[in-house]
Amino acid sequence: MQYIILCLLMSLPMLSLQGCSGGTASDTVPFAGVVSKTISGTASQGAALTGTAYLKDVQGTEIRSSIDSNGRFTFIVDGMRAPFILKAGSYYSATESTSVTNINPLTDLCVKKAAVGSSADATYNNPAALPAIMANITYIANSLRSGLDGLYPSLVPASQRDFMNGSLVIDKGVDLVFTRISIIAEAGVFYVYLNGQTIVSVITSNGIVTVNNNPANIASASTVIFPNTGGITDEGNASTPDYARSDLQGTWQFYQMIIDSNNSYWARDLVTIDANAQTVFSDGTNSHGRTSPTVLPRLAITSDGTVTVTSPDPDASTKMYMARNKQLIIGTGGTPIDKSLYIMVKTGSGFQQSDLQGVWKANNLILNGTSSSTSYNVWERGDVNISSLGEAVISNQLKSSGTGTVSTSGRSLNLSINNQGVVTAPGFPSLHGTLTVDKSLIVMVMTNSDGSDAISFFVKTGGTSFSLADMQGSWRTNYLMLQGQTEWGRATTTLDTLGNALFSNITQSSTVVSDFSGRFSAMSTGGVFSASGDWSSLFSGVMALNKNLMIGTVTQDPTGTPSPSLFIWAK
């Protein structure tokens, strides 16, 4: 399994660490003497670590210390002999003195990189090996400190930059860095990412560690992590960014549409996120017997609203984005085999049945449908008129068919909503949806009577006029394609006032797609728009009342391959 760690390596133009396998105890560490002091520090990873920290001396004596709510720990090391190796969670650190010593992703990297030919776990189990690598640990730590220094604005004090020996504070300085940066490590190579760009690569070869960095990406990393240097306090905290970890805190309804090599199904869970972005799943169900996760992920959010999974098993393929109103998170992820569309809707209170009343535009993806013993995956769209009593009448209904569309007969169902905005249908037990706090969007999953699974998006219409000029700007784009090219995908869509669109920074689950352009057209005053060019009459979309969200369906992918697809754009 890949080892993945949150950390940041910066501003080292080209560094070779020689001699990582050499040295003797007498060469590097004056450890013969009894100490009568303490070792204290902060255990963090972009939030305070919890539980217990451990310390071993060179003779193998182990002691422990509780970690408080601020990540602080203290070891009394009377009668013990240096050097020492420390551990908290999955992270390691080391010291040959009784100064402040922290435990975090960067200290962990120092220990792991110094233990060439071995591992940090092996060193902890056999601390007699510490003297031989302490010089290398110190050298790597000093090099990283120097490289990181250019990342911080001038008002961030030195104590908040020193990951190894500084007086760290959660959510400030280097700990704030940990919340923004991801590193994927595989086969001795560390790749450091921010917003999909490689910041640094770190390579180990024949006992030598080489760090290669990208100065331009490092400069942009600084502006993302500390977006408003004029608002930094004397403790190094950035002024309030567009998005912060506190925006994740709360209760969310989490909906997924999942396609894998054997099954396709929907899933839903109630997810509670605490102040440290740790998740708790409950009330989960799905259409394929899946259980809610037992290993609960921790999330991170950047100042531009990018949401990622950081622990315990970071997932580089999954990326989500928080909408401007901070009530919706949309994303995609998975592997070339498992492809998923993710929607998180923040829950509220005070909803009433009358909130459902009105005319809505529906866009649905339907999986596992069966017709004449042939299975199919399609999109479906139409108009939904919901009365004050919750009776929903669906009309003007179309669904995809091969490279075209077919009309289908309308139908009706009764919908109800509870105080928390959860939408259900009496007599239709699988249907479960959530109305957004601004009451402009309903997200639902269900299993139909023919056994097909669906995810549905109802966008409310009326009361607002729209034009193509409302499209202008940059939109985060997520999509799921069902046949032919079965893919999840995400991109940046840049639109002008005439509806001209450029799709760029495209990432898909298994195929490489170059940038492409197109044009949206014929925006109605009700927010419904079409497309010209390759998509032509095969596409239809709708803009939400807040003008920061668009949802559409199309019958073929940009290459012309029949592939019923659903696209979501968030400004």
Side-chain angles (χ1 to χ4, degrees):
M1 188 179 79
Q2 290 183 341
Y3 167 69
I4 305 175
I5 177 176
L6 281 179
C7 61
L8 178 65
L9 313 172
M10 293 292 178
S11 300
L12 302 180
M14 187 71 169
L15 175 65
S16 292
L17 306 180
Q18 306 285 345
C20 288
S21 60
T24 65
S26 59
D27 290 333
T28 60
V29 183
F31 64 89
V34 175
V35 236
S36 298
K37 296 182 179 179
T38 63
I39 294 175
S40 61
T42 302
S44 68
Q45 58 172 6
L49 295 177
T50 59
T52 303
Y54 300 87
L55 176 147
K56 277 188 180 180
D57 72 359
V58 72
Q59 296 176 320
T61 302
E62 183 181 66
I63 58 176
R64 61 185 63 192
S65 169
S66 296
I67 302 172
D68 71 16
S69 60
N70 295 312
R72 305 290 174 80
F73 59 85
T74 299
F75 295 105
I76 299 173
V77 292
D78 291 342
M80 302 179 73
R81 293 181 179 271
F84 306 95
I85 184 167
L86 296 74
K87 180 174 72 170
S90 60
Y91 302 126
Y92 289 95
S93 188
T95 182
E96 51 189 339
S97 70
T98 54
S99 60
V100 170
T101 302
N102 300 307
I103 308 172
N104 54 56
L106 284 176
T107 67
D108 182 76
L109 181 65
C110 293
V111 176
K112 286 181 166 63
K113 284 301 181 184
V116 174
S118 182
S119 68
D121 292 336
T123 304
Y124 189 83
N125 293 330
N126 180 28
L130 269 176
I133 65 171
M134 276 306 306
N136 291 323
I137 292 174
T138 301
Y139 180 64
I140 296 170
N142 288 339
S143 298
L144 292 179
R145 266 191 292 253
S146 176
L148 281 167
D149 197 58
L151 175 69
Y152 301 98
S154 59
L155 290 178
V156 178
S159 63
Q160 291 296 323
R161 307 180 189 204
D162 186 351
F163 63 86
M164 181 68 80
N165 305 117
S167 299
L168 303 188
V169 178
I170 303 303
D171 271 343
K172 298 182 181 181
V174 70
D175 190 68
L176 189 63
V177 169
F178 296 151
T179 69
R180 303 295 195 260
I181 301 299
S182 297
I183 286 188
I184 299 175
E186 183 176 11
V189 181
F190 285 74
Y191 298 98
V192 186
Y193 292 99
L194 175 69
N195 291 346
Q197 293 182 317
T198 300
I199 305 297
V200 168
S201 62
V202 189
I203 303 171
T204 304
S205 179
N206 298 322
I208 299 174
V209 179
T210 304
V211 178
N212 301 296
N213 77 317
N214 185 313
N217 290 348
I218 286 169
S220 65
S222 178
T223 61
V224 169
I225 299 167
F226 301 98
N228 189 349
T229 57
I232 294 176
T233 70
D234 59 357
E235 293 184 320
N237 222 9
S239 62
T240 304
D242 291 335
Y243 299 89
R245 185 190 297 152
S246 58
D247 295 323
L248 292 172
Q249 189 172 3
T251 303
W252 302 75
Q253 292 284 352
F254 182 30
Y255 299 100
Q256 303 176 68
M257 185 59 87
I258 302 162
I259 304 172
D260 65 25
S261 57
N262 297 313
N263 302 285
S264 301
Y265 57 98
W266 57 257
R268 64 173 175 84
D269 296 271
L270 188 67
V271 179
T272 302
I273 305 177
D274 68 14
N276 289 326
Q278 181 66 53
T279 63
V280 175
F281 283 63
S282 60
D283 192 31
T285 189
N286 64 92
S287 58
H288 188 61
R290 183 188 67 91
T291 59
S292 294
T294 55
V295 179
L296 301 176
R298 181 172 175 267
L299 305 178
I301 186 169
T302 64
S303 58
D304 69 349
T306 303
V307 179
T308 54
V309 178
T310 62
S311 66
D313 293 309
D315 180 0
S317 72
T318 295
K319 185 178 288 186
M320 299 179 285
Y321 302 104
M322 181 174 283
R324 278 190 176 180
N325 62 8
K326 301 183 179 181
Q327 304 299 313
L328 195 67
I329 299 173
I330 306 158
T332 49
T335 68
I337 296 175
D338 302 302
K339 306 169 179 71
S340 299
L341 174 69
Y342 307 116
I343 310 292
M344 297 177 66
V345 183
K346 201 163 195 178
T347 62
S349 60
F351 291 92
Q352 303 176 30
Q353 188 69 30
S354 59
D355 294 329
L356 296 178
Q357 186 174 6
V359 178
W360 305 72
K361 287 289 183 180
N363 284 275
N364 314 326
L365 276 185
I366 301 175
L367 307 178
N368 307 321
T370 303
S371 177
S372 301
S373 301
T374 301
S375 62
Y376 62 86
N377 299 323
V378 298
W379 59 253
E380 190 176 62
R381 58 186 180 233
D383 297 330
V384 184
N385 194 324
I386 305 178
S387 73
S388 59
L389 299 176
E391 182 182 8
V393 177
I394 303 170
S395 59
N396 301 319
Q397 195 167 342
L398 290 175
K399 72 176 181 180
S400 58
S401 175
T403 58
T405 62
V406 296
S407 297
T408 59
S409 58
R411 62 182 188 271
S412 63
L413 70 161
N414 292 315
L415 299 176
S416 61
I417 187 170
N418 69 11
N419 182 66
Q420 286 76 45
V422 173
V423 177
T424 55
F428 198 167
S430 68
L431 187 148
H432 187 285
T434 303
L435 178 63
T436 55
V437 171
D438 65 4
K439 303 176 182 179
S440 67
L441 174 70
I442 306 171
V443 181
M444 293 186 291
V445 291
M446 68 199 76
T447 298
N448 295 310
S449 58
D450 64 355
S452 61
D453 295 323
I455 186 167
S456 300
F457 300 86
F458 286 11
V459 177
K460 198 165 194 177
T461 63
T464 300
S465 295
F466 298 85
S467 69
L468 284 175
D470 294 325
M471 288 187 167
Q472 184 178 17
S474 181
W475 299 76
R476 299 283 181 76
T477 311
N478 286 273
Y479 54 91
L480 194 62
M481 302 189 298
L482 297 184
Q483 285 171 200
Q485 282 181 282
T486 301
E487 300 271 7
W488 60 256
R490 49 182 175 259
T492 300
T493 305
T494 305
L495 283 154
D496 65 14
T497 57
L498 299 177
N500 295 308
L502 173 64
F503 290 76
S504 60
N505 303 317
I506 302 170
T507 300
Q508 291 194 168
S509 50
S510 58
T511 59
V512 176
V513 179
S514 301
D515 295 357
F516 68 94
S517 59
R519 185 179 180 188
F520 297 122
S521 57
M523 171 76 80
S524 74
T525 57
V528 177
F529 58 97
S530 57
S532 55
D534 290 339
W535 282 355
S536 186
S537 61
L538 304 175
F539 175 87
S540 180
V542 59
M543 180 176 282
L545 295 175
N546 59 22
K547 299 185 178 182
N548 292 321
L549 184 77
M550 302 188 296
I551 298 176
T553 47
V554 66
T555 303
Q556 65 184 32
D557 66 29
T559 69
T561 304
S563 187
S565 306
L566 182 138
F567 282 71
I568 304 174
W569 291 268
K571 208 166 191 177

